[in-house]
Amino acid sequence: MGDYNAVAARNTENAPKNIGPYSQTVAYSHYNNLSAQLPVDPKSGKLVAGGVKEQAEQCFKNIKAIVNSIDHAMSDVVRLTVFVKNIKDIDAIDEVYKTFFSTYVPTRTTVAVSALPMDALVQIDALVSHGEGTIPNAPQSGDLIKLTNNTANAPVSSLSTQAVAFSHYNNLSAQLPIDPKSGRVVAGGVKEQTGQCLKNIKAILESIDVPFDDIVKINIYLKDFADVEAVNEVYTTFFPDSAIARAVAYVPARTMIAAAALPMDALVQIEAVVSHGDGTPPQVVEDRHGLILEANNTKNAPKSSLSTQTVAFSHYNHLSAQLPIDSKSGKLVAGGVKEQAEQCLKNIKAIIESVDHTMDDVVKVNIFLKNITDIDAVNEAYTTFFPGGVPARSIVGVSALPENALIQIDAVVSNAEGTPPKA
């Protein structure tokens, strides 16, 4: 890590602490990565009484407490991910959501999952701007603004912004397979729906003058994992998108997640993290030429033709979700969830080390578990890789994972030198 940027992990007594080996928020460069918040009362350490509305309110209160503790405001939230146990609870959650975001609305993803820690009904993840950056004694808040954007060529919602840019990233709301003209899910099956999701993403990017190949990370939420091949068939018609990208066979980092249900009963939903070369506000041309996408693969971790192991842009590396696959044999490792968790983390470590970073540079970890009751076993393996419990973390239970794995883990890692080195 460079000596001018530092991973800054912080906790406050006003939000739940010590319910897992993670920090409430980890800042690096111009973003704060928050751990997903459960509806836990910080004083009692227990779930709040009541139903989904009360639980949603507590999640947002916890996020607000964390955000306020680092001298930020809820209007600094760039992206929210709402994990809900029952998709029918969305309306009740939205009722609460509007009280916390009455004017500005961030980008948003809503997905129903099979299970949540502590048998919660809802869990909310947040990404927050970090105006001053983590460069000691060099405040930059006066130079950085949040840019919001909506276009009529993609579905518009009063509850979310299509794209929010801050510093060198555009964060997009997850796109459903909605025709922007009719406001309805497109006719057909999962192939048609996948195509529409990606068309919507492309329309948003075109509206902010960003090419499709500037996508750094893609997250795909799929209702039925049996549809993976059909989704991939459509996916490969969009990536690589340009002649330059085809020449180097560039594809973004990628995570695929099984959803218990999606809004509007969709079969697929896709979100994207995109580079923002100009930064905010626009930089002079000579200052942004040093910013390039750096895709990297190592033989020491499993490779895929559909994703890059890690894609760096500016001060972050975004990793593809890692399955518990041995890179030499190409097969799942023997044993149970503890052995599988260890292999996922070994793969992440191999990728990180291949780009001259260390596990101490990880700022956020996302864990997807086939059986939510496996958390304790996972933590046994996890704490050997993160003994200080520094990264922010999110855990959800899913109905299925690729290769019938028990666990899948992805990560966001600092990129201390920026891109290219010492730029």
Side-chain angles (χ1 to χ4, degrees):
M1 252 182 351
D3 57 5
Y4 58 90
N5 260 335
V7 171
R10 289 172 285 187
N11 293 286
T12 173
E13 297 292 337
N14 298 324
K17 283 178 67 179
N18 302 323
I19 57 175
Y22 51 84
S23 299
Q24 290 168 354
T25 181
V26 178
Y28 187 78
S29 187
H30 290 126
Y31 279 98
N32 288 285
N33 297 264
L34 269 62
S35 287
Q37 290 302 300
L38 288 161
V40 173
D41 182 307
K43 292 181 180 177
S44 69
K46 297 178 181 179
L47 290 184
V48 294
V52 72
K53 278 183 73 173
E54 290 77 13
Q55 289 199 14
E57 185 175 21
Q58 188 62 51
C59 291
F60 283 119
K61 282 180 177 176
N62 291 342
I63 289 171
K64 188 175 183 180
I66 295 167
V67 170
N68 289 346
S69 75
I70 54 175
D71 298 322
H72 281 68
M74 289 296 273
S75 57
D76 291 333
V77 174
V78 173
R79 185 180 72 224
L80 283 176
T81 303
V82 179
F83 295 108
V84 63
K85 188 77 184 297
N86 187 337
I87 200 73
K88 293 179 181 178
D89 285 339
I90 289 177
D91 288 345
I93 292 168
D94 286 344
E95 201 176 318
V96 178
Y97 171 85
K98 291 173 187 175
T99 66
F100 286 85
F101 298 96
S102 56
T103 51
Y104 161 76
V105 286
T107 64
R108 200 174 92 161
T109 296
T110 301
V111 58
V113 292
S114 295
L116 291 168
M118 300 179 74
D119 203 26
L121 301 176
V122 61
Q123 177 180 251
I124 303 177
D125 204 347
L127 179 70
V128 182
S129 65
H130 190 219
E132 66 274 19
T134 48
I135 302 174
N137 305 315
Q140 300 175 44
S141 55
D143 300 325
L144 291 165
I145 57 172
K146 187 168 76 263
L147 297 177
T148 60
N149 186 80
N150 288 292
T151 172
N153 296 324
V156 176
S157 170
S158 62
L159 296 170
S160 63
T161 303
Q162 289 171 355
V164 176
F166 188 78
S167 187
H168 289 124
Y169 277 95
N170 287 288
N171 294 271
L172 271 61
S173 286
Q175 292 301 301
L176 287 161
I178 296 171
D179 182 310
K181 292 181 180 177
S182 69
R184 298 176 182 174
V185 171
V186 294
V190 72
K191 285 178 71 172
E192 290 77 13
Q193 290 197 17
T194 302
Q196 188 63 48
C197 292
L198 292 166
K199 283 178 185 175
N200 291 342
I201 288 172
K202 194 164 190 176
I204 294 168
L205 295 185
E206 287 175 348
S207 75
I208 53 177
D209 297 320
V210 174
F212 208 64
D213 286 321
D214 279 358
I215 294 175
V216 173
K217 176 74 188 295
I218 285 277
N219 294 322
I220 301 175
Y221 299 88
L222 195 56
K223 181 77 184 297
D224 187 346
F225 252 39
D227 289 335
V228 168
E229 288 185 11
V231 169
N232 286 340
E233 193 177 327
V234 178
Y235 188 83
T236 52
T237 66
F238 283 81
F239 295 101
D241 185 51
S242 66
I244 294 173
R246 285 191 291 273
V248 296
Y250 173 72
V251 285
R254 191 173 90 157
T255 295
M256 189 172 281
I257 304 149
L262 293 167
M264 300 183 74
D265 203 27
L267 301 175
V268 63
Q269 177 178 247
I270 304 177
E271 69 178 352
V273 178
V274 186
S275 67
H276 188 223
D278 294 347
T280 49
Q283 297 174 313
V284 294
V285 172
E286 58 266 26
D287 287 342
R288 67 176 187 256
H289 277 174
L291 290 168
I292 56 171
L293 289 179
E294 286 191 345
N296 188 80
N297 289 292
T298 172
K299 65 180 180 180
N300 296 323
K303 290 184 180 181
S304 169
S305 61
L306 296 168
S307 63
T308 301
Q309 290 169 355
T310 182
V311 179
F313 186 78
S314 187
H315 287 122
Y316 277 98
N317 287 283
H318 289 261
L319 271 62
S320 288
Q322 293 301 302
L323 289 163
I325 293 174
D326 180 286
S327 59
K328 292 180 181 176
S329 68
K331 297 178 180 178
L332 288 183
V333 294
V337 70
K338 190 176 172 184
E339 290 77 14
Q340 290 199 13
E342 184 178 17
Q343 186 62 47
C344 291
L345 292 165
K346 281 181 179 177
N347 291 342
I348 286 171
K349 188 170 189 270
I351 294 167
I352 290 171
E353 289 177 349
S354 76
V355 291
D356 298 323
H357 282 71
T358 69
M359 292 295 270
D360 288 339
D361 295 334
V362 177
V363 294
K364 178 72 187 290
V365 172
N366 299 303
I367 300 175
F368 308 99
L369 268 178
K370 186 77 182 296
N371 188 340
I372 202 73
T373 60
D374 285 337
I375 287 177
D376 288 344
V378 169
N379 281 341
E380 274 189 60
Y382 184 87
T383 51
T384 65
F385 287 84
F386 300 107
V390 167
R393 195 172 82 165
S394 169
I395 293 183
V396 297
V398 295
S399 58
L401 288 167
E403 306 290 335
N404 202 28
L406 301 175
I407 186 170
Q408 176 180 253
I409 305 177
D410 77 7
V412 180
V413 184
S414 67
N415 188 34
E417 68 275 15
T419 48
K422 298 177 183 175

